[in-house]
Amino acid sequence: MGPLKGVRVLDLSRMLPVGVLSQLLADLGADVVKVERPGVGEEGRGFGAPVAGTSATHAFLDRGKKSVALDLKHPHGLAVVHSLVAQADVVLESFRPGVAERLGVGYDDLRALNPNLVYCSVNGYGTGGPRDQEPGHDMNYLSYAGAMHFGGTKAHGPQPGGIQVADLLGGLTGGIGLLAALLAVRSGAPGTRVEVALADAALWALGLHVSSWMAGGDAAGPESTAVTGAGPAYRVYRCADGRYLSVAAIEPQFWAQFVTAVERPDLIARQHDPSAIEEVAALVATQELAHWTKLLDGLETCVSPVQDFSEVAADEQFQARGMFVPVPGQDEVLQVGNPIKLSDPLPTPSPASALVGGDTEAVLAGLDLPPEVRRSALAWATTTNDRGEESR
């Protein structure tokens, strides 16, 4: 059933930050209705390998959600949204500030229809401030908040990461905020608006380092702290076969275990000595990755291989944790599961709708709509999409 069974969520968003938020809510049992643009649908439908009649990205992000195709700029589309809001507990949106209000789906508009509504906005720079109308993506927010300057290396400067950190943190913190607001409503408080700016989330992720600097600590930059490679104990080292070994032996006991195991106990006292970096790098480069992982297996060294996706998929740890699950409706294909583990198993999600607006008719069945509004909504669900396929 899931702990969020009975919680009704209307998702008006596009792209990753709120997409991953509503995925987690759906995984936990919430009834999530996702509004997509007629014919075109969510951008994720075109990303990733084909799977289950759609794409791997869409199958992952939108599992467990119902798809409704609506034109929010059309009065009939707005009428359907307002009817859904009257029954909803949560609305999610990711528009730039002011856009939702122009469309008639702003917080004040929807609160008038449902005073207990929790309205969650996740956007780039938040409401207010000179940048609130600027477009952006994950790397822009990380750059603006100082994360790109703080990471990278002195030799190569800032580098894009492999994970959309600001997007994911924005979605997750938005989720915590809306669940807190939902608990308050269940305790008798009125509904409220929750807002998370992705740039703010990126800055919050740097809170330890920025707060230390603001208290008079050293200026942060690439390879300037214990966790950005200032010393030999927290680095990624290249092995003889071109593979990589990550060493994160920050605590003295882990560093001592590591250098003793690799027969360099003389380095115990040089854990924070930058000049020892080249010595460790030269040592690791003498052997292949498999040699080091076998040598260090079972020792408390905080050392790990840098694995590729094929190794991750075969990894016994992730398999034991149930982190790979079948794509709903296509059991022979796997996708990443939910990291939240409860004592009771989570419900099996329904497949992501292969068709833009594929659940429109079922969702509309529970609404009291004028006939002309219903006809418009059903027509949007049969619109030919950009790829020349019928969405119904």
Side-chain angles (χ1 to χ4, degrees):
M1 292 174 56
L4 295 182
K5 179 179 173 57
V7 175
R8 295 160 298 187
V9 178
L10 181 62
D11 184 355
L12 305 178
S13 74
R14 291 165 54 187
M15 305 296 282
L16 179 63
V18 179
V20 76
L21 164 55
S22 57
Q23 181 224 55
L24 291 174
L25 297 178
D27 278 355
L28 292 168
D31 179 16
V32 179
V33 174
K34 181 176 180 63
V35 173
E36 298 192 72
R37 294 172 295 165
V40 180
E42 171 66 39
E43 283 86 346
R45 288 179 176 272
F47 297 158
V51 63
T54 175
S55 74
T57 298
H58 176 61
F60 170 71
L61 276 181
D62 292 316
R63 66 190 182 206
K65 306 175 190 177
K66 299 182 179 73
S67 172
V68 174
L70 295 174
D71 183 353
L72 297 184
K73 296 180 180 180
H74 193 288
H76 292 173
L78 185 60
V80 175
V81 167
H82 285 179
S83 294
L84 290 168
V85 166
Q87 300 178 0
D89 299 294
V90 175
V91 166
L92 306 172
E93 63 93 2
S94 59
F95 300 112
R96 293 189 218 179
V99 174
E101 287 74 16
R102 291 197 294 273
L103 291 172
V105 294
Y107 173 57
D108 290 336
D109 300 306
L110 302 189
R111 181 178 59 174
L113 302 170
N114 184 348
N116 292 324
L117 187 69
V118 174
Y119 186 99
C120 180
S121 303
V122 179
N123 51 48
Y125 295 98
T127 303
R131 298 181 72 93
D132 72 352
Q133 294 300 309
E134 290 198 20
H137 284 296
D138 182 82
M139 190 163 62
N140 301 121
Y141 310 128
L142 293 175
S143 299
Y144 198 70
M148 295 291 289
H149 167 74
F150 188 61
T153 66
K154 291 178 180 178
H156 301 289
Q159 299 293 319
I163 301 174
Q164 290 98 317
V165 176
D167 286 351
L168 295 172
L169 278 177
L172 290 172
T173 51
I176 293 171
L178 79 85
L179 290 174
L182 197 58
L183 281 174
V185 169
R186 296 292 169 90
S187 299
T192 191
R193 181 172 185 248
V194 175
E195 182 183 60
V196 172
L198 300 177
D200 292 351
L203 179 57
W204 176 79
L206 288 171
L208 290 175
H209 309 292
V210 174
S211 297
S212 177
W213 173 79
M214 297 180 87
D218 294 337
E223 300 175 303
S224 64
T225 72
V227 295
T228 58
Y234 203 92
R235 305 278 300 195
V236 177
Y237 295 101
R238 184 182 175 91
C239 303
D241 54 355
R243 301 292 305 279
Y244 291 89
L245 185 74
S246 66
V247 177
I250 296 178
E251 292 85 353
Q253 68 271 24
F254 297 142
W255 174 250
Q257 279 263 39
F258 169 62
V259 295
T260 300
V262 299
E263 301 182 353
R264 286 296 306 271
D266 57 298
L267 293 175
I268 290 177
R270 298 176 63 192
Q271 180 181 10
H272 305 295
D273 180 1
S275 68
I277 293 173
E278 289 189 9
E279 295 181 47
V280 176
L283 173 63
V284 174
T286 63
Q287 300 288 343
E288 295 184 351
L289 176 64
H291 169 84
W292 297 120
T293 55
K294 182 178 180 180
L295 175 69
L296 300 170
D297 184 39
L299 300 180
E300 294 193 348
T301 59
C302 292
V303 173
S304 304
V306 176
Q307 300 197 121
D308 61 26
F309 288 172
S310 65
E311 292 167 317
V312 170
D315 190 272
E316 294 180 354
Q317 172 65 29
F318 291 125
Q319 291 183 356
R321 293 287 296 165
M323 283 306 298
F324 301 108
V325 299
V327 172
Q330 192 164 336
D331 291 349
E332 69 275 16
V333 181
L334 298 179
Q335 62 180 203
V336 177
N338 195 308
I340 300 170
K341 308 299 180 185
L342 306 177
S343 55
D344 294 323
L346 294 176
T348 300
S350 60
S353 177
L355 308 175
V356 177
D359 302 296
T360 300
E361 187 171 359
V363 171
L364 263 57
L367 303 178
D368 183 17
L369 296 170
E372 63 275 14
V373 173
R374 187 178 299 273
R375 282 195 297 271
S376 291
L378 293 175
W380 286 320
T382 59
T383 302
T384 302
N385 67 28
D386 281 353
R387 292 172 293 279
E389 303 158 346
E390 287 295 327
S391 66
R392 249 187 95 73

